[in-house]
Amino acid sequence: MSKASDAILLVDDDAAVRHALKFSLEMEGFDVRLYPTPEALLAEHDLPADGCLVIDYRMPDIDGLELVERLRSRGVTLPVFLISGRVTRSLRARASSLGIEDVLEKPLSDLAASIRPVLDARP
Amino acid sequence: MSDTSIALALEAAEARLRSILQTVPDAMIIIDERGRIESLSTTAERLFGYDADEACGRNVSLLMPSPYREQHDAYIERYLKTGERRIIGIGRIVVGQRKDGTTFPMHLTVGELRTGERHHFTGFIRDLTDQQLTEDRLKELQSEVTHMSRFTALGEMASTLAHEINQPLTAISNYLRGSRRLLERMEGENVEMLRDAVSKAADQALRAGQIIRRLREFVARGESERRIESLPKLIEDASTLALVGAREHGIAVTFRLDPAADLVLADRIQIQQVLVNLMRNAIDVMSEGGAVRRLDIATATGLEDQVEVTVADTGSGLAPEVARQLFQPFVTTKRKGMGLGLSICRTIVEAHGGKIWVNSPPEGGTIFHFTLRAAAHDRENEDG
């Protein structure tokens, strides 16, 4: 079962999207931390050992894929869900080459259902 | 025939050729099978800025910019070996280079002369710099690109709209989802009705999302057609169109094409549109001022199956805050235009599985980069 301590780290540059996702995921029992920019997440020193990342693809300075690349190069192995208003096959292909769990298209009616099995599978 | 009459006949023939070369209104150049210039018409001397004395005996590649300069000998060799005609008898718009280093679009027709064992080639050149002529010759190519631009602009708007609407829809549908969860834990006489209403509202948010998706798919479908294309050829065609008028603004153009960056998987018209857009932007920026005006177009092989194209100018460069949002729709530094050009470029490049970005080096100017997938590794045709 997902533990209450499973933190979901969410990066999206749209404030309304960020807060709405936090609200719905918290109602599902997850602990959610928000980051308005990729830089804010990269500046985070206290990354949890468990949990997952939810990252928006299209952001102004560093896009979601680049952010995942940077995190991987720092040894961050948390599972990643990429969210995007538009999911193309090439985006999926690039995401899977970075070991991203799944690419989910907005408006994301049930994000928790995608996340939960991945978190449950972890020891 | 006696030796004397042969000599006389030869002399007469030479005199005729000289008089033709002096009077023919077209620029005309005769080269031998090793590419060396044997003679050129007076018009050709004027057009390229070389005297016959200066030019004769030198390789005709003198009259073309890189990368054709380096490749011309190989073109002749290939033709002599295979007999495959790529320009002889066909005629094409190519780029010429004058003695002063400036380049210009020209229409080239090549004919072949065989005397015994030896081949000679005659080139007829029409200068397309003249606006009227240029317009005629390029109209076809231009209208193709314009049509595609409109089509892509429409797609771009639909795609932008979809993105912009998807954000609030995401917020709506997730607030509703959270609310439903919350309501499941509540009791009271109105809770059941509220749950029902919230569920129905969430369904409607999803429905709006589906409509947006269908609209986008409808516009995105259509004329994108990806094939294996030669990147140098795409660049050549696009520059022919884009460089019209570059010389009037005193802009020197250089090409540095990596032979290894050859075949790419691309929609010809769309990638030409990206190239034309970037080159025209560079020309526009440099026309505004600056002592050094140089447009540099380069290719290189990148990581894995990617090739990278760069279009660099020596203009005033970009402020970081402009660079950051340059590819977003409706952002423009120009007085004219809707600010869709670079946003369209991004859509096209990303749909090709590539990336586009810009940087302004400290020494000035702006460099646009974009990547395409090399054809040998990936023939997947997409996207939704």
Side-chain angles (χ1 to χ4, degrees), chain B residues 30-49:
Chain B
I30 303 174
I31 63 170
D32 68 14
E33 61 202 2
R34 286 200 275 165
R36 286 180 310 201
I37 299 172
E38 291 199 331
S39 43
L40 68 168
S41 70
T42 309
T43 312
E45 290 178 274
R46 265 205 307 273
L47 180 59
F48 288 97

Side-chain angles (χ1 to χ4, degrees), chain B residues 234-244 246 251 253-255 271-287 295-298 309-313 334 342 345 368 370:
Chain B
L234 288 175
I235 292 175
E236 181 187 345
D237 288 351
S239 56
T240 305
L241 180 65
L243 299 182
V244 172
I251 295 165
V253 184
T254 51
F255 293 91
I271 294 305
Q272 274 184 21
Q273 197 184 330
V274 172
L275 287 163
V276 168
N277 220 313
L278 296 180
M279 291 186 219
R280 292 303 313 182
N281 278 351
I283 291 169
D284 287 350
V285 166
M286 288 190 285
S287 307
L295 172 62
D296 181 69
I297 296 143
V309 182
T310 53
V311 177
D313 66 54
K334 299 182 188 173
L342 288 173
C345 289
F368 281 92
F370 71 89

Side-chain angles (χ1 to χ4, degrees), chain B residues 42 45 103 139 179 219 231 255 257 288 301 326 353 373:
Chain B
T42 309
E45 290 178 274
T103 55
K139 206 180 272 169
S179 303
V219 189
L231 182 60
F255 293 91
L257 306 186
E288 286 164 13
T301 52
L326 203 58
R373 276 194 249 174

